[in-house]
């Protein structure tokens, strides 16, 4: 490991701009005090400290309808890219009929969800959000799909 001196300060706090994810940063500090003759007396280096990744989880990707009928949709997605940084990760599923307001349908730890009770031949919008103790995913994709007719016709799915 190569250490880089970032700042010398007389304050008890310091700051820097990170050029890598916080989870990859490590730091240690030394303290100095003036000796009797005015020279600086340095302490030993502190133990190595780290940041936890405090960023919110990424949004789920590759959302698709795995099963579709007139009254039911099974939905699946890929786990978020930074899921290992979020041990308490859950997914919240939101659904809207046509252009209506999104409503929370449920919460799961899995990467699949079943939506029963849908209307035949109706267009729906569905969004899956990732949430952990560090926040909620942003820029969540919206999946649009249309349920089949009672006679089993139709049923296009198209992500947007």
């Amino acid at each position: 490991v190569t250490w880089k001196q970032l700042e010398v300060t007389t304050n008890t706090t310091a700051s820097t701009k990170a050029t890598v994810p916080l989870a990859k940063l490590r730091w240690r500090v030394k303290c100095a005090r003036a000796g009797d003759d005015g020279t600086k007396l340095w302490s030993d280096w502190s133990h190595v400290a780290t940041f936890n990744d405090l960023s919110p989880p990424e949004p789920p990707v590759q959302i698709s309808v795995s099963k579709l009928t007139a009254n039911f949709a099974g939905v699946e997605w890929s786990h978020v890219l930074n899921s290992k940084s979020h041990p308490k990760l859950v997914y919240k599923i939101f659904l809207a009929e046509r252009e209506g307001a999104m409503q929370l349908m449920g919460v799961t730890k899995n990467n699949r969800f079943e939506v029963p009770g849908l209307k035949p031949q109706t267009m729906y919008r569905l969004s899956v959000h990732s949430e952990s103790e560090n926040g909620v995913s942003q820029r969540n994709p919206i999946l649009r799909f249309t349920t089949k007719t009672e006679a089993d016709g139709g049923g296009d799915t198209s992500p947007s």
Side-chain angles (χ1 to χ4, degrees):
V1 174
T2 303
W3 292 95
K4 177 181 171 185
Q5 181 175 321
L6 295 178
E7 184 177 352
V8 175
T9 180
T10 57
N11 296 321
T12 56
T13 61
S15 64
T16 186
K17 288 189 177 192
T19 57
V20 297
L22 292 179
K24 291 187 177 186
L25 288 179
R26 308 286 182 264
W27 78 92
R28 58 189 184 165
V29 295
K30 262 187 173 182
C31 296
R33 66 174 177 84
D36 292 336
D37 60 359
T39 61
K40 289 184 181 174
L41 300 174
W42 291 93
S43 69
D44 290 332
W45 285 105
S46 70
H47 71 282
V48 176
T50 63
F51 281 106
N52 290 327
D53 185 357
L54 302 176
S55 61
E58 294 292 323
V61 294
Q62 299 175 338
I63 301 171
S64 63
V65 175
S66 57
K67 183 175 181 182
L68 186 64
T69 68
N71 306 103
F72 174 90
V75 182
E76 296 179 350
W77 54 90
S78 295
H79 288 289
V80 299
L81 298 176
N82 61 347
S83 62
K84 290 182 180 179
S85 300
H86 301 277
K88 296 180 181 178
L89 181 72
V90 296
Y91 299 103
K92 291 187 173 182
I93 296 81
F94 294 87
L95 183 74
E97 185 178 322
R98 296 182 180 90
E99 298 304 319
M102 290 278 195
Q103 301 291 323
L104 178 65
M105 296 300 295
V107 178
T108 183
K109 292 182 180 182
N110 300 315
N111 65 328
R112 67 185 74 73
F113 190 79
E114 295 181 348
V115 186
L118 302 177
K119 296 177 185 176
Q121 203 170 5
T122 303
M123 192 278 285
Y124 288 94
R125 295 178 301 120
L126 182 136
S127 184
V128 181
H129 299 204
S130 308
E131 187 173 312
S132 75
E133 62 277 7
N134 295 338
V136 180
S137 58
Q138 301 295 313
R139 300 173 313 280
N140 300 290
I142 295 175
L143 174 73
R144 295 175 189 273
F145 65 92
T146 302
T147 51
K148 295 183 177 185
T149 64
E150 289 288 351
D152 262 351
D156 290 343
T157 62
S158 58
S160 62

